[in-house]
Amino acid sequence: MNDEQFLEYMDSGKEVTAFSKVHNYMTYLSNEAMKVTSELNNAYHTPEEIKALMERLTGREFPEGAYMFPPFYTDCGRNLKLGKNVFINSGCQFQDQGGITIGDGTLVGPKTVIATLNHHMHPDKRANLIPKPVTIGRNVWIGANVTILPGVNIGDGAVIAAGAVVNKDVEANTVVGGVPAKLIKYIETGE
């Protein structure tokens, strides 16, 4: 198995059987990600060095204007797609095997967790994994200590209040907050 075959399988949303070829490759990528994130998180790096480390981690170009404050944690990296001018604050943890896409201009607050995998509910299959992508639109503001669960889509311009647990889709230009996150208000865009 290679990165392309792995990503194709994960993006299909099919269940990953524990100890299968796909699961074993997932473990391999996790170990590779630990090497890069250990290097990223355990010393000071210039913006150019952060860019190079993120390109090693994701296997793709780090977008123009994107920036992050380490530490940053992920157990894959290969299924993370960032837009231009994305900012990721310190202490974030992205579980991107199922796919994370973050649109241009989005701000991700410190200690944000984005999860893209669930375990099977049946006890005999509990070690199996079910991938579901998370898609975050353009110019979204995610507050500190937010958790975004598998399969969530967040619309352009939305604001996620600090500490929220987002378990369902968020409309564009809205503010949501709470556990679980609920609509607080609509944002006036003047359009």
Side-chain angles (χ1 to χ4, degrees):
M1 176 159 277
N2 60 35
D3 285 6
E4 185 178 320
Q5 292 166 325
F6 173 77
L7 293 174
E8 184 179 321
Y9 189 92
M10 296 305 285
D11 291 345
S12 76
K14 295 178 193 169
E15 184 174 333
V16 178
T17 303
F19 312 110
S20 65
K21 185 166 48 170
V22 175
H23 191 257
N24 290 338
Y25 197 77
M26 182 184 293
T27 301
Y28 162 76
L29 286 178
S30 293
N31 282 295
E32 293 301 305
M34 283 189 277
K35 290 176 191 174
V36 178
T37 56
S38 178
E39 188 176 340
L40 175 68
N41 295 336
N42 289 305
Y44 169 77
H45 296 285
T46 65
E48 295 77 22
E49 291 169 332
I50 290 172
K51 177 182 185 299
L53 286 164
M54 288 301 292
E55 288 176 349
R56 269 181 46 207
L57 181 67
T58 63
R60 52 178 55 92
E61 186 176 336
F62 198 58
E64 176 186 326
Y67 195 64
M68 71 163 29
F69 289 161
F72 174 75
Y73 305 94
T74 184
D75 47 7
C76 183
R78 291 295 194 226
N79 214 358
L80 174 59
K81 300 168 194 87
L82 303 175
K84 294 178 183 176
N85 302 312
V86 166
F87 173 68
I88 300 170
N89 215 321
S90 63
C92 290
Q93 186 165 349
F94 292 2
Q95 180 195 55
D96 66 287
Q97 288 97 334
I100 296 173
T101 302
I102 301 176
D104 295 348
T106 288
L107 309 174
V108 181
K111 298 184 179 176
T112 292
V113 173
I114 303 175
T116 64
L117 296 175
N118 277 316
H119 286 278
H120 200 289
M121 290 303 292
H122 192 284
D124 293 341
K125 296 181 179 184
R126 189 62 42 89
N128 292 1
L129 299 164
I130 300 152
K132 291 186 180 179
V134 169
T135 303
I136 299 168
R138 294 175 295 119
N139 300 314
V140 172
W141 175 18
I142 299 170
N145 292 302
V146 166
T147 299
I148 301 169
L149 298 177
V152 167
N153 295 298
I154 299 174
D156 294 345
V159 175
I160 313 300
V165 174
V166 185
N167 65 350
K168 62 183 178 184
D169 290 355
V170 175
E171 289 182 60
N173 299 312
T174 59
V175 177
V176 300
V179 178
K182 295 188 181 343
L183 177 67
I184 295 173
K185 68 179 183 176
Y186 290 91
I187 298 171
E188 296 291 328
T189 61
E191 295 177 358

